[in-house]
Amino acid sequence: MKLDYNLDKMPEEIAKHTTHRVFLPGSAVVSKGGAADRVYIILKGNVRVSNEFISGQRYTFASMGTLELIGDLEVLADQPVYSATCEATVSCECIGMSAATFLRWIRSDSDFAFAVSRQLAAKMYPTSNENGRIKFQPSLERLHDYLKKRLGDIDTDLFILHTSRQQIADDIGTSVKTVNRGVAKLKEAGLIGLLHGKITLNRQQQAEMQLPFEEEDE
């Protein structure tokens, strides 16, 4: 959800304490465990939000784009460190400000405060609604749901997923080995194809992908 606020209305006293930054693809806007001392507003571009664990696995659970805030949750919750890593997926232009400036803006501008609260609610509701589901969802079902979401409303005779197995594993919170095993099972069931290692879906497979997932008994 975009921030429902016209940035041209930013108070001058706040604006003079902000900076413009450009983050290149692959660079972190904020990193999990880093000091939560700044807030960013995305002006252009996209970031992926992920968590890294001691095991070395990374789980990408969200993406953010234009007029979305980074670091607002931590600052408003008075938490000392960022809870997740936000990494630019394309060249990303942001407005940055200190935590103190962000809080001063919130206190002095009721329209901005309301817009921030709406965006925070939009961020948190899906997390609350889906809390725990992914933990108990079988990995093959996760992969199936992931492909269904990536397919979306695309209209093509042959859908090709140009995403690495590592990125798929990150996105669904599992390992590359598990993804490869799932890909093999879906291909064996005729639900997907492979083209030079890339997952493909023909017209029939696209239609079948929209059906409820049912894993066959082994």
Side-chain angles (χ1 to χ4, degrees):
M1 176 181 177
K2 292 185 177 182
L3 189 68
D4 186 17
Y5 182 89
N6 185 349
L7 291 178
D8 290 339
K9 295 182 178 179
M10 181 190 296
E12 185 178 346
E13 177 60 28
I14 299 298
K16 70 181 183 181
H17 291 289
T18 65
T19 58
H20 278 71
R21 288 196 59 184
V22 175
F23 296 89
L24 297 178
S27 61
V29 181
V30 302
S31 298
K32 179 179 179 178
D37 54 3
R38 294 191 69 76
V39 173
Y40 294 92
I41 302 175
I42 302 172
L43 296 180
K44 184 179 180 181
N46 293 278
V47 302
R48 64 176 184 177
V49 187
S50 59
N51 255 320
E52 301 93 6
F53 301 95
I54 295 175
S55 64
Q57 283 189 314
R58 181 173 62 183
Y59 172 45
T60 300
F61 59 89
S63 62
M64 294 194 293
T66 305
L67 291 183
E68 293 197 72
L69 287 157
I70 298 172
D72 51 329
L73 177 62
E74 289 85 351
V75 170
L76 288 171
D78 197 25
Q79 295 300 307
V81 298
Y82 295 114
S83 61
T85 295
C86 294
E87 179 183 335
T89 55
V90 296
S91 184
C92 195
E93 182 183 350
C94 299
I95 293 176
M97 68 199 77
S98 68
T101 297
F102 175 68
L103 291 173
R104 188 161 62 248
W105 189 5
I106 287 278
R107 294 188 184 103
S108 64
D109 187 338
S110 59
D111 287 342
F112 179 66
F114 181 70
V116 171
S117 66
R118 288 288 303 277
Q119 189 176 105
L120 266 177
K123 283 182 186 178
M124 298 306 298
Y125 179 78
T127 301
S128 177
N129 190 43
E130 297 290 311
N131 190 25
R133 187 179 73 88
I134 192 72
K135 180 178 180 181
F136 299 105
Q137 187 181 25
S139 58
L140 188 58
E141 185 178 354
R142 285 189 237 171
L143 177 59
H144 181 277
D145 285 357
Y146 174 81
L147 294 175
K148 183 177 179 179
K149 289 177 181 176
R150 290 297 302 270
L151 177 62
D153 297 324
I154 294 173
D155 183 19
T156 179
D157 288 335
L158 184 66
F159 172 79
I160 303 175
L161 183 66
H162 296 283
T163 303
S164 70
R165 301 289 173 86
Q166 180 62 65
Q167 184 58 57
I168 295 172
D170 290 347
D171 288 346
I172 66 174
T174 188
S175 66
V176 173
K177 183 178 179 180
T178 299
V179 169
N180 288 337
R181 188 162 56 241
V183 166
K185 285 185 177 181
L186 292 178
K187 184 177 186 299
E188 183 180 349
L191 293 174
I192 65 171
L194 292 176
L195 180 65
H196 305 304
K198 301 296 184 182
I199 296 171
T200 64
L201 295 164
N202 59 31
R203 285 286 187 184
Q204 181 179 345
Q205 291 165 336
Q206 291 171 42
E208 292 175 347
M209 189 61 63
Q210 302 301 330
L211 300 175
F213 175 79
E214 291 184 8
E215 184 173 4
E216 296 182 359
D217 296 331
E218 296 184 355

